[in-house]
Amino acid sequence: MMKNNCRFLKPRLLALALAVTAGMAPVARAAPPSPDAQSAAQWAHAAHDHGNTPFIVIDKRHAHLWLFDANGTPTADTPVLLGLARGDESVPGIGERPMEKILPEERTTPAGRFVAQPGRNTNGEDIFWIDYDAAVSMHRVRNGNPRDRRLQRLATPTEEDNRISYGCINVPAAFYDNQIKPLFQHGKGVVYVLPETRDVRSLFSSPTSQPKHSTGS
């Protein structure tokens, strides 16, 4: 089963709002990585954990995604929408349940090291699987239910309203098409989703250790 949903000055905020409303997204806004995202990227590069290919770090606390090149340098970033509930684990068996049976507190985006794999959902849309068993993917933001106000949420200056999905990572369409898809569509890319309920160091520690959560490899 596939889930069907899965900080700036005013001029920049206005430009972002207009771009998102138009189905676009700003590219390479050059927002510096958060300290946790930078630490994770440095760990991944030092450990050669990402296989010398571009990789993604998502800081759930800030609802923000950074794209890094093979040398560990940030190249582009964007706000994202995440699971409604805060938490770092998926409920066992949630990927087999119909969406109407998923409780609000179960709508989490799992943390960990994931190998994103190209795929398609039940509607034929191209996506990247993050955790196939839990039916969590990274895909273009959808505005199917107007009450969700997903495009508007991406345009606000705070991350507090970026929690709305059933666990999937919603990315602005233009960023997905122009930044993520060209790099990841021909192979597997590593995505690091940072925890929000525990210390990041519990997941990404010294270069000699392995991540404690690995899915899709």
Side-chain angles (χ1 to χ4, degrees):
M1 183 199 76
M2 170 59 200
K3 291 187 177 66
N4 291 324
N5 289 312
C6 278
R7 327 123 175 126
F8 305 102
L9 296 176
K10 289 184 178 179
R12 292 187 71 190
L13 177 58
L14 176 59
L16 174 60
L18 292 174
V20 170
T21 302
M24 301 169 59
V27 173
R29 292 186 304 153
S34 67
D36 283 343
Q38 188 63 54
S39 294
Q42 290 173 345
W43 175 90
H45 186 58
H48 304 289
D49 184 73
H50 56 96
N52 294 321
T53 61
F55 61 96
I56 286 172
V57 177
I58 297 172
D59 188 334
K60 290 202 294 176
R61 291 171 180 165
H62 296 284
H64 210 91
L65 177 156
W66 283 272
L67 180 63
F68 292 82
D69 65 18
N71 295 317
T73 302
T75 60
D77 68 281
T78 181
V80 292
L81 301 181
L82 302 168
L84 175 68
R86 283 169 170 74
D88 294 319
E89 304 291 339
S90 294
V91 175
I94 195 168
E96 301 300 322
R97 289 160 54 184
M99 291 176 61
E100 61 270 17
K101 298 295 185 181
I102 298 174
L103 301 175
E105 61 268 24
E106 297 176 325
R107 292 165 58 175
T108 57
T109 298
R113 175 195 184 275
F114 302 93
V115 180
Q117 301 187 55
R120 292 190 178 274
N121 62 15
T122 54
N123 295 323
E125 176 190 13
D126 61 282
I127 62 173
F128 287 97
W129 288 110
I130 299 298
D131 187 337
Y132 184 84
D133 290 340
V136 174
S137 68
M138 178 169 57
H139 58 72
R140 303 172 189 84
V141 64
R142 307 188 190 105
N143 200 33
N145 185 347
R147 290 180 299 178
D148 285 351
R149 302 180 65 253
R150 296 197 179 208
L151 298 180
Q152 292 87 343
R153 289 171 184 270
L154 282 171
T156 62
T158 176
E159 65 271 10
E160 293 302 318
D161 60 354
N162 286 36
R163 313 302 292 258
I164 187 63
S165 81
Y166 278 75
C168 289
I169 300 161
N170 288 210
V171 181
F175 192 94
Y176 181 98
D177 290 330
N178 298 330
Q179 298 291 326
I180 297 176
K181 188 175 179 179
L183 293 176
F184 284 28
Q185 66 180 342
H186 298 301
K188 300 176 181 178
V190 179
V191 178
Y192 302 95
V193 183
L194 306 187
E196 58 186 339
T197 62
R198 59 181 186 272
D199 195 310
V200 173
R201 290 173 296 181
S202 67
L203 195 63
F204 307 97
S205 52
S206 69
T208 58
S209 67
Q210 293 294 318
K212 294 184 178 180
H213 186 151
S214 180
T215 302
S217 57

